[in-house]
Amino acid sequence: MRRLMFSVPALLLTAPVMAADLNVTVQIPRLDVAEYHRPYTAVWIEREDHTVAAQLAVWYAQKESKEGAGTKWLPELRQWWRRGGRDLPMPVDGVSGATRPAGDQTLSFHEGKAPLGALPAGNYALVVEAAREVGGREVVRVPFTWPAAAPQQLDAKGSSELGAVKLDLAP
């Protein structure tokens, strides 16, 4: 009879690596107004001291017009702009994209992969900010602890420019 010998490091290399997931759903409400423009929207994770831990998404008008529309209006996302947006060279690969239509917009992030990266354990808030031309501005925060010990579904609701913001965490 033949004996098989395995070392502990060899077993660890063959075992599947479990990574945490962070899934976000941002509801952009359908507004019945005379002049509707899709909102500029920023999604990020901030630490307890309100510094940015990860930039997850920025949706804006990407076609530049003669008047400089597009990046010109990003400062209207005031909190995002002050907390790091102004330092980002646009477009940011994997983060920036075109404005989104009304409806549920979903984003998925995996631990260890950009833009989430290796987020250290701790208390955070998912922050979503939206600003719309000829409209308003709104910020929604969803506090959470990372990494999640068990699957969690967290949410918050906007009142004008944003609808429901849902955060699903999976260990």
Side-chain angles (χ1 to χ4, degrees), residues 19-22 111 119-124 144-152 169-171:
D21 290 333
L22 186 142
E111 183 179 31
L119 192 64
N123 295 319
Y124 296 94
F144 68 97
T145 300
W146 183 262
Q152 292 182 36
L169 301 171

Side-chain angles (χ1 to χ4, degrees), residues 15-132:
V17 176
M18 301 303 282
D21 290 333
L22 186 142
N23 298 301
V24 178
T25 302
V26 176
Q27 184 183 59
I28 298 175
R30 187 172 314 277
L31 302 174
D32 187 19
V33 295
E35 186 177 343
Y36 179 79
H37 299 272
R38 290 180 179 182
Y40 277 34
T41 308
V43 182
W44 72 95
I45 295 173
E46 68 180 22
R47 298 176 189 92
E48 289 182 294
D49 66 358
H50 300 290
T51 59
V52 175
Q55 298 279 3
L56 301 179
V58 181
W59 303 327
Y60 65 100
Q62 295 197 310
K63 278 191 173 179
E64 294 284 344
S65 69
K66 291 179 185 172
E67 298 83 38
T71 57
K72 175 182 177 182
W73 300 108
L74 284 172
E76 292 300 311
L77 295 167
R78 294 180 194 144
Q79 286 192 26
W80 171 79
W81 185 255
R82 291 179 184 141
R83 297 206 173 120
R86 72 175 103 205
D87 299 326
L88 293 176
M90 295 308 236
V92 178
D93 189 35
V95 173
S96 57
T99 56
R100 304 291 173 95
D104 288 348
Q105 308 301 323
T106 58
L107 301 162
S108 293
F109 306 98
H110 308 288
E111 183 179 31
K113 294 185 180 178
L116 184 60
L119 192 64
N123 295 319
Y124 296 94
L126 172 75
V127 185
V128 180
E129 182 175 19
R132 192 172 49 83

Side-chain angles (χ1 to χ4, degrees), residues 7-17:
S7 68
V8 173
L11 287 174
L12 291 176
L13 289 175
T14 60
V17 176

